[in-house]
Amino acid sequence: DAGVIQSPRHEVTEMGQEVTLRCKPISGHDYLFWYRQTMMRGLELLIYFNNNVPIDDSGMPEDRFSAKMPNASFSTLKIQPSEPRDSAVYFCASSVGLGARGGAYEQYFGPGTRLTVT
Amino acid sequence: GDSVTQMEGPVTLSEEAFLTINCTYTATGYPSLFWYVQYPGEGLQLLLKATKADDKGSNKGFEATYRKETTSFHLEKGSVQVSDSAVYFCALSRGSSNTGKLIFGQGTTLQVKP
């Protein structure tokens, strides 16, 4: 398996510009998660999807952030306009739900996108 | 609500020392428990897991036992190597009321010196 794929790996942009981060989950996984990691705040869950439908976006910091999942193999996280405080590493993760069986929901993480907003 | 608490770092050890990283949790029901590891510049990787009380997860010399009576899942390794230097995250997912989310601890940085 190729694992979770994220692009770009690094992004440097100026304040006010639009930034789009991309994620391809592991084939067959029906959950997709977007996280943000900073030294100050640690690892934060921004939003997650189940079967392409957003389930919980309570972690999205503000309206400048939006996420979409048009199909099972692709998701985007967009920041418009970007600000210096958005500088962080953004991770995408995917997992397979076990439905009524419950049990472990181990997540598989991508390598992350390091975003720097100047 | 559900939560995970890890010991604060950084933890600094000499090579071949014994490692313990404490993790305790608060959760309703019967959560599954995980340890993830993050090497510098990389994403999180699943290190080991346990899905029910008294289960022991193990991988790469690391072990952790699911202790329901003490609500703990401490990570141990008998002899650490420089290559084990990383950030370690404890996490849980709910059991029967699982929403698919993982609840992560704040992470513990391990530094192993030669």
Side-chain angles (χ1 to χ4, degrees):
Chain A
D1 283 337
V4 176
I5 299 172
Q6 292 188 247
S7 65
R9 292 294 310 275
H10 302 274
E11 178 79 35
V12 179
T13 190
E14 293 184 348
M15 182 174 64
Q17 296 299 305
E18 177 179 296
V19 175
T20 299
L21 311 181
R22 297 173 175 80
C23 175
K24 177 179 170 57
I26 293 172
S27 177
H29 283 192
D30 53 354
Y31 281 86
L32 184 139
F33 305 81
W34 282 102
Y35 292 89
R36 178 172 68 175
Q37 187 177 41
T38 62
M39 289 294 292
M40 290 294 294
R41 300 175 70 91
L43 189 67
E44 302 174 275
L45 176 64
L46 301 178
I47 185 171
Y48 76 100
F49 297 81
N50 180 217
N51 292 321
N52 313 337
V53 176
I55 302 300
D56 184 353
D57 65 354
S58 60
M60 296 286 261
E62 46 197 279
D63 292 346
R64 298 185 296 107
F65 287 68
S66 62
K68 294 182 179 180
M69 192 165 186
N71 57 62
S73 59
F74 183 66
S75 177
T76 59
L77 177 68
K78 185 178 294 186
I79 308 172
Q80 166 63 19
S82 58
E83 296 183 3
R85 59 192 168 124
D86 301 330
S87 297
V89 181
Y90 290 82
F91 290 105
C92 177
S94 70
S95 70
V96 58
L98 301 179
R101 289 172 48 201
Y105 279 69
E106 55 205 70
Q107 294 180 14
Y108 296 84
F109 282 73
T113 296
R114 181 173 295 277
L115 173 65
T116 302
V117 183
T118 60
Chain B
D2 296 351
S3 66
V4 175
T5 302
Q6 295 180 228
M7 63 187 289
E8 289 193 19
V11 174
T12 302
L13 296 173
S14 297
E15 206 164 23
E16 299 184 2
F18 184 86
L19 168 71
T20 300
I21 300 178
N22 290 337
C23 170
T24 57
Y25 68 89
T26 301
T28 55
Y30 301 93
S32 294
L33 301 173
F34 307 84
W35 277 101
Y36 280 81
V37 59
Q38 184 179 27
Y39 298 104
E42 298 184 12
L44 280 69
Q45 302 174 24
L46 179 65
L47 180 60
L48 54 84
K49 67 181 181 183
T51 60
K52 60 183 187 295
D54 300 326
D55 266 4
K56 177 185 285 188
S58 61
N59 187 26
K60 300 180 181 180
F62 291 88
E63 294 183 338
T65 301
Y66 188 165
R67 301 288 189 197
K68 191 166 179 63
E69 63 276 12
T70 55
T71 62
S72 65
F73 193 55
H74 305 322
L75 182 68
E76 296 181 336
K77 187 175 185 183
S79 176
V80 294
Q81 305 301 311
V82 172
S83 57
D84 294 326
S85 298
V87 181
Y88 292 81
F89 293 88
C90 185
L92 69 82
S93 69
R94 292 177 176 176
S96 58
S97 59
N98 203 318
T99 63
K101 288 171 61 173
L102 289 181
I103 308 299
F104 284 92
Q106 72 271 33
T108 301
T109 299
L110 171 64
Q111 299 173 340
V112 180
K113 298 185 175 181

